[in-house]
Amino acid sequence: MRKICFLVIALCVLLIFNKCGKPDDFYSADFLNAAELAKPGKVDSLQILPGRNRAILKFIVAPDRRVNKLKIAYSSSLSAQVNTTMADIAAGEYGNYKEVAISNLPEATLLVNITSYDSKGDSSNTVTGSGFIYGDRYNSSLYNRIYQNITTINGVKQLNFQNESAKPRDTTVFYTLQKTIVTYSKAGGGMATIEVSPFANEVKVPDIATTGTIRHYSIFKPVVQAIDIFQSAEVTVSF
């Protein structure tokens, strides 16, 4: 009976010893392993700012200072070919916005993957994005604002343009037509150039000649974040 009691006591002491010592050791080892295996920080808030056969990628670099470079892989919806470029991280870019320009892009949907790397070659989770790139096809679809006539109001001549019925009533709302550039013959000789807002249907031209020419074209932005503008073909009318 004494032997049994002794064995039970010894077993309890052994269990208490194991409970007090080993789990902490195992927990610490797991914690350190997890820290060592943590992925580098990924970029955030990726935006694709479209232009004419080009784009600017804008994103926030992770504040993780282990990251020293980015791999940017991009392709077009028109092709399976994937292009790759690398971008270094400057000291002041951690946690801040960074921009990377990409050129020679076809007019199609751009697909982008960005992966962060540290000096050991470890990689972050990949951030993906897509956006449409504009080109000649979009430009060929643009119209020129329609010039109507010249009238005189209270002794002052003005050029009149057809109303843009599709424009929003609120001038703070984005509208693809940005403005119309008008060049006209002046009464004293030479030419004058003015801009006409899409929200205005007439513009005063007190110095316009009795006869001459009016040249005009319209300027567009396909989307509010576009980095390039596009223009319609120029039209010339005589008066």
Side-chain angles (χ1 to χ4, degrees), residues 91-158:
E93 292 179 329
Y94 292 101
N96 295 316
Y97 274 103
K98 180 179 178 66
E99 295 183 354
V100 177
I102 301 177
S103 57
N104 299 319
L105 298 174
E107 187 173 10
T109 300
L110 176 67
L111 311 172
V112 177
N113 295 325
I114 303 180
T115 309
S116 303
Y117 284 85
D118 62 20
S119 58
K120 296 180 181 179
D122 294 329
S123 61
S124 70
N125 291 327
T126 297
V127 174
T128 64
S130 63
F132 193 80
I133 306 302
Y134 299 86
D136 291 342
R137 188 168 68 252
Y138 170 76
N139 205 124
S140 66
S141 71
L142 301 179
Y143 62 91
N144 204 326
R145 193 166 184 194
I146 300 174
Y147 161 77
Q148 290 183 313
N149 55 23
I150 300 173
T151 57
T152 302
I153 306 296
N154 296 325
V156 179
K157 291 184 177 181
Q158 67 181 32

Side-chain angles (χ1 to χ4, degrees), residues 71-218:
K71 178 182 178 182
I72 301 170
Y74 60 96
S75 60
S76 165
S77 58
L78 299 178
S79 171
Q81 178 181 350
V82 177
N83 301 286
T84 302
T85 185
M86 304 299 295
D88 295 327
I89 306 300
E93 292 179 329
Y94 292 101
N96 295 316
Y97 274 103
K98 180 179 178 66
E99 295 183 354
V100 177
I102 301 177
S103 57
N104 299 319
L105 298 174
E107 187 173 10
T109 300
L110 176 67
L111 311 172
V112 177
N113 295 325
I114 303 180
T115 309
S116 303
Y117 284 85
D118 62 20
S119 58
K120 296 180 181 179
D122 294 329
S123 61
S124 70
N125 291 327
T126 297
V127 174
T128 64
S130 63
F132 193 80
I133 306 302
Y134 299 86
D136 291 342
R137 188 168 68 252
Y138 170 76
N139 205 124
S140 66
S141 71
L142 301 179
Y143 62 91
N144 204 326
R145 193 166 184 194
I146 300 174
Y147 161 77
Q148 290 183 313
N149 55 23
I150 300 173
T151 57
T152 302
I153 306 296
N154 296 325
V156 179
K157 291 184 177 181
Q158 67 181 32
L159 300 179
N160 301 303
F161 288 85
Q162 184 170 301
N163 180 51
E164 286 286 303
S165 59
K167 69 179 182 291
R169 293 184 177 181
D170 185 351
T171 59
T172 64
V173 176
F174 177 76
Y175 188 45
T176 56
L177 174 59
Q178 301 292 289
K179 56 188 174 183
T180 298
I181 309 300
V182 182
T183 301
Y184 61 89
S185 302
K186 296 174 60 177
M191 306 293 288
T193 300
I194 55 174
E195 297 181 358
V196 183
S197 163
F199 296 92
N201 298 328
E202 62 279 325
V203 59
K204 290 180 172 57
V205 286
D207 58 345
I208 193 169
T210 304
T211 60
T213 60
I214 297 171
R215 302 194 309 269
H216 64 100
Y217 61 90
S218 297

